[in-house]
Amino acid sequence: MTHIYLFNSEGSLTKKIDELKIQGISSSDMTVSFNNRPDNVFRNYRDIEFVKADGSVWEKLVGKVFDRDSTDLVVRRFDLNERELAEYKKGVNSGQIVLLVKGLDDEQVKTDHNKENLSLDEIYDEYGLNSEKS
């Protein structure tokens, strides 16, 4: 399953990438898609694939020749189901940065969203730091 995250800034994107790396998600399982080239903030993350959402020059040319949208040609790379495809297109069309993460199951996503509400004791338990309690 591919999980899709949408961001309005590169700063929030890079924070999420760092969180996912801490969780053990490989850089090779992450792809960033955006209509514009990344700015300086994202350039430190060269190990993550970047795909121009509106397509490369080649995809734009093929799209024109065969009367197809170049964005549809880009999406074929990701093997998305209908729900994921709709979420991806919504993000791209609204000008957001899209982070696609392969192999992330729903349980990891739920756990990730719930971490914001954990008490200090629960955080120690989750990360195996019980010996660090005073």
Side-chain angles (χ1 to χ4, degrees):
M1 175 176 191
T2 301
H3 192 76
I4 297 174
Y5 297 94
L6 304 175
F7 301 96
N8 292 321
S9 71
E10 287 186 30
S12 56
L13 166 69
T14 56
K15 285 179 186 175
K16 186 62 179 180
I17 289 171
D18 291 339
E19 287 176 20
L20 291 170
K21 284 183 175 183
I22 289 171
Q23 290 178 1
I25 306 298
S26 172
S27 298
S28 62
D29 290 333
M30 295 184 226
T31 304
V32 172
S33 183
F34 188 45
N35 284 330
N36 302 320
R37 291 277 176 211
D39 290 333
N40 292 330
V41 177
F42 185 72
R43 290 200 177 131
N44 295 328
Y45 295 86
R46 294 176 195 253
D47 56 336
I48 296 174
E49 181 183 13
F50 174 80
V51 175
K52 201 145 179 333
D54 60 350
S56 65
V57 173
W58 177 250
E59 288 162 327
K60 289 176 184 177
L61 177 66
V62 169
K64 291 242 187 243
V65 169
F66 292 102
D67 196 28
R68 300 219 24 218
D69 185 13
S70 61
T71 304
D72 291 336
L73 296 173
V74 172
V75 170
R76 291 181 17 193
R77 300 180 193 182
F78 305 131
D79 191 32
L80 303 175
N81 63 34
E82 287 182 34
R83 183 191 57 79
E84 296 164 344
L85 179 61
E87 190 174 352
Y88 173 85
K89 284 189 172 187
K90 181 184 108 187
V92 168
N93 292 338
S94 65
Q96 293 179 303
I97 303 169
V98 180
L99 173 64
L100 300 108
V101 183
K102 291 184 271 183
L104 193 62
D105 63 13
D106 287 335
E107 190 59 38
Q108 286 174 301
V109 173
K110 287 177 188 170
T111 302
D112 186 39
H113 290 305
N114 292 332
K115 285 183 182 177
E116 298 169 1
N117 300 325
L118 295 178
S119 70
L120 188 56
D121 288 336
E122 291 170 323
I123 292 170
Y124 280 128
D125 288 341
E126 184 167 332
Y127 290 101
L129 300 173
N130 291 324
S131 62
E132 301 296 321
K133 292 183 189 176
S134 311

